[in-house]
Amino acid sequence: MKKRIRNCIQSIAFIGIIAFAVLSCECDDSTTPVPTNPEPTSGNARKYVVGFQSITADKKLADYVLELPSLASLERGELSVEGQGIPLKGWQFFHQAGNKVFTAGYLDEKRVRAFGLNTEGKVVEQSNFNFESTLDNHFTIDNTTLISVELSAAANPETKEIPEPRFHIINAETGKLERIVKQPVDILAFADAATPEEAYMPWVTGMVLREDQLFVSYHKIRPDGSSTSMEVDHAFVAVFKYPEFELEKIIKDSRTTHIGSNGHSTGLIKADNGAIYTFSPSAQSAGIVGATNPSGVLKIKTGATTFDPTYFFDVEAATNGGKMYWMEYVGNGKALARIITKDATLGAWGAYAEQGDFLKLVVLDLEKQTVMDVKGIAGHANRYTAPVFIENGKAYMSSRFGESSAIGSVSDSGETYVYIIDLETATATKGAKVLGVALKGIFKISK
């Protein structure tokens, strides 16, 4: 491949027609991409990077960081980590902040790694740090900051003390941990409860920074290690003064359910005009067990710190709607969302299976409160719905198809493809085949 690329570059210099040469070079390349190391252009090399979840010979899941030669690698051919990619240990979360891709181990590895481009334009690990307890959720606050929140699984079995969440503030430029803030989120959770049954732990599911205020959504989880929710038919958001992490207020709403779902970082999203939107699954298969309120979207107006009493987008009751599994803002007052089509038969946490046909993709118009099915993509599964990647008005994401499987397992009958979604027409086009389970993140970084 390197020889073909050098030939393409020579052709560009010789004939002076850049567009024709680039297209010719790309059309020749329909095989599994092998990373290349181009020289930086004007001191600003760029690379597309994916978090790649593969299947080992013994049917276990393994994660990699894989750099791609171009965006076209996502649009045709096959993607594989065979003989390439940077292997990681166990399950990983993938996020981008600034020009770094961050991976955070879950259970098997207590380490956050930061990947960036070296002077030759190659993706390498540039820094890392260890943490004490599992970091459960990660939120890109801006181009300079990533915040990871420590998982609190249960109260101390001996003292019955409920652990307070610890926020890890990470510098996106250095990839290093700057500070840890111990913050209870909801101070009432740690007050002396009248009975043990009243105690709960705040489980953070979303985070958005607007000027000097940090909005944090959370579930109320029983401290017995069961991951079951309390007051599930309410939405909760804590508002902090940032960067001081001083709690200003807690707001709640009884029109829908707990905001966000475990493992996804998009419980809260911020629109172009500064308005903040929430999503509530109200689905047992998304871990919201026992809810009676509908799945829907709430709004916090620009400049406000309360839920807008005049706005409630009942996604479950809308035409083409249903119970949401994931939602992310894509611009112009719209969001992409995955809706669970078989919540009643999946059972508790069933939508977290890696394989099946129980999700559909839709475009939500948050202002008009409408739901449009995305054409060109069938029912699918996607346990880890990463932050969506958008370029030139199109969204790129992977989806897995095949017979249903248990959480944590896959079968040989399953197939995964990249889909490119035209956000204006709500139409999906099948792209590259992924020789693995999922792309847990698609990113573009530069030097």
Side-chain angles (χ1 to χ4, degrees):
M1 176 179 283
K2 291 183 179 179
K3 182 176 181 181
R4 287 204 305 272
I5 292 175
R6 285 196 298 269
N7 290 340
C8 286
I9 295 173
Q10 292 170 357
S11 297
I12 294 170
F14 180 73
I15 64 176
I17 306 176
I18 296 175
F20 177 79
V22 171
L23 288 171
S24 299
C25 185
E26 287 184 348
C27 289
D28 267 351
D29 189 9
S30 60
T31 59
T32 302
V34 177
T36 59
N37 301 316
E39 289 298 318
T41 303
S42 301
N44 191 25
R46 294 179 177 84
K47 272 289 175 62
Y48 293 91
V49 183
V50 297
F52 193 105
Q53 187 176 50
S54 69
I55 312 172
T56 64
D58 55 356
K59 296 296 186 293
K60 293 184 178 181
L61 304 178
D63 288 345
Y64 289 75
V65 171
L66 177 66
E67 61 178 271
L68 306 178
S70 67
L71 186 63
S73 302
L74 296 168
E75 298 172 339
R76 61 175 178 269
E78 295 180 339
L79 286 171
S80 172
V81 291
E82 184 176 356
Q84 58 185 329
I86 302 172
L88 303 170
K89 185 177 180 180
W91 174 276
Q92 299 279 331
F93 290 99
F94 292 82
H95 285 276
Q96 180 176 356
N99 279 312
K100 296 242 184 338
V101 172
F102 291 86
T103 67
Y106 184 79
L107 298 179
D108 293 328
E109 181 184 51
K110 295 180 179 179
R111 177 172 295 184
V112 171
R113 303 175 188 269
F115 294 85
L117 300 184
N118 64 11
T119 55
E120 289 76 36
K122 180 178 176 58
V123 176
V124 297
E125 181 179 337
Q126 294 183 325
S127 61
N128 64 74
F129 65 88
N130 294 333
F131 49 84
E132 293 180 12
S133 298
T134 299
L135 298 178
D136 185 50
N137 268 326
H138 313 270
F139 310 92
T140 301
I141 299 303
D142 52 33
N143 287 330
T144 63
T145 307
L146 181 78
I147 298 182
S148 295
V149 186
E150 195 172 76
L151 172 66
S152 298
N156 186 301
E158 296 180 358
T159 65
K160 307 301 180 184
E161 180 183 358
I162 299 175
E164 295 183 4
R166 301 200 315 158
F167 294 77
H168 293 61
I169 293 84
I170 304 164
N171 186 308
E173 296 180 356
T174 65
K176 296 290 188 179
L177 177 65
E178 284 194 339
R179 61 190 175 116
I180 297 177
V181 176
K182 192 175 183 180
Q183 170 55 252
V185 179
D186 185 343
I187 193 64
L188 297 178
F190 304 93
D192 293 331
T195 66
E197 288 74 24
E198 294 178 1
Y200 57 89
M201 297 186 305
W203 192 349
V204 176
T205 61
M207 200 179 297
V208 162
L209 179 64
R210 189 175 67 189
E211 296 180 349
D212 63 346
Q213 290 180 312
L214 187 66
F215 295 77
V216 178
S217 62
Y218 61 97
H219 294 193
K220 290 186 175 182
I221 300 295
R222 294 189 183 279
D224 58 4
S226 65
S227 297
T228 55
S229 301
M230 300 171 62
E231 293 188 70
V232 69
D233 277 323
H234 287 81
F236 298 94
V237 171
V239 183
F240 296 95
K241 182 176 177 57
Y242 185 84
E244 294 86 352
F245 266 97
E246 295 175 0
L247 179 63
E248 294 186 348
K249 64 192 304 185
I250 290 173
I251 58 176
K252 68 178 182 178
D253 199 292
S254 60
R255 290 174 289 178
T256 184
T257 66
H258 281 180
I259 295 168
S261 55
N262 178 39
H264 299 172
S265 62
T266 54
L268 301 176
I269 58 176
K270 184 170 64 174
D272 308 313
N273 62 3
I276 295 172
Y277 293 91
T278 75
F279 96 89
S280 297
S282 187
Q284 62 171 353
S285 58
I288 313 298
V289 179
T292 60
N293 281 340
S295 176
V297 178
L298 297 170
K299 178 182 180 181
I300 302 171
K301 288 183 177 180
T302 306
T305 57
T306 58
F307 290 117
D308 181 354
T310 67
Y311 181 96
F312 177 58
F313 184 0
D314 188 340
V315 176
E316 192 168 343
T319 301
N320 302 320
K323 295 179 181 292
M324 290 182 290
Y325 180 62
W326 161 86
M327 179 181 82
E328 185 160 330
Y329 190 69
V330 293
N332 298 320
K334 295 180 180 179
L336 270 178
R338 279 186 162 109
I339 284 180
I340 305 166
T341 59
K342 300 180 179 181
D343 181 61
T345 59
L346 286 174
W349 299 97
Y352 283 80
E354 276 82 3
Q355 195 167 298
D357 63 352
F358 47 80
L359 297 177
K360 73 170 183 175
L361 193 65
V362 300
V363 174
L364 307 180
D365 190 314
L366 299 172
E367 297 176 359
K368 297 179 180 178
Q369 299 188 31
T370 58
V371 183
M372 181 182 297
D373 286 341
V374 174
K375 301 178 291 292
I377 180 170
H380 58 276
N382 203 78
R383 173 179 179 177
Y384 185 89
T385 299
V388 66
F389 177 76
I390 300 175
E391 186 154 299
N392 299 324
K394 293 180 172 58
Y396 293 72
M397 57 176 56
S398 73
S399 298
R400 186 164 180 82
F401 305 85
E403 63 185 17
S404 297
S405 64
I407 296 176
S409 66
V410 292
S411 72
D412 293 333
S413 67
E415 291 186 331
T416 301
Y417 289 90
V418 175
Y419 275 84
I420 302 98
I421 298 95
D422 187 307
L423 298 172
E424 286 299 317
T425 63
T427 302
T429 302
K430 184 187 289 187
K433 183 175 183 178
V434 179
L435 302 183
V437 178
L439 298 186
K440 296 174 71 174
I442 301 171
F443 314 101
K444 183 169 72 171
I445 57 176
S446 60
K447 286 180 80 310

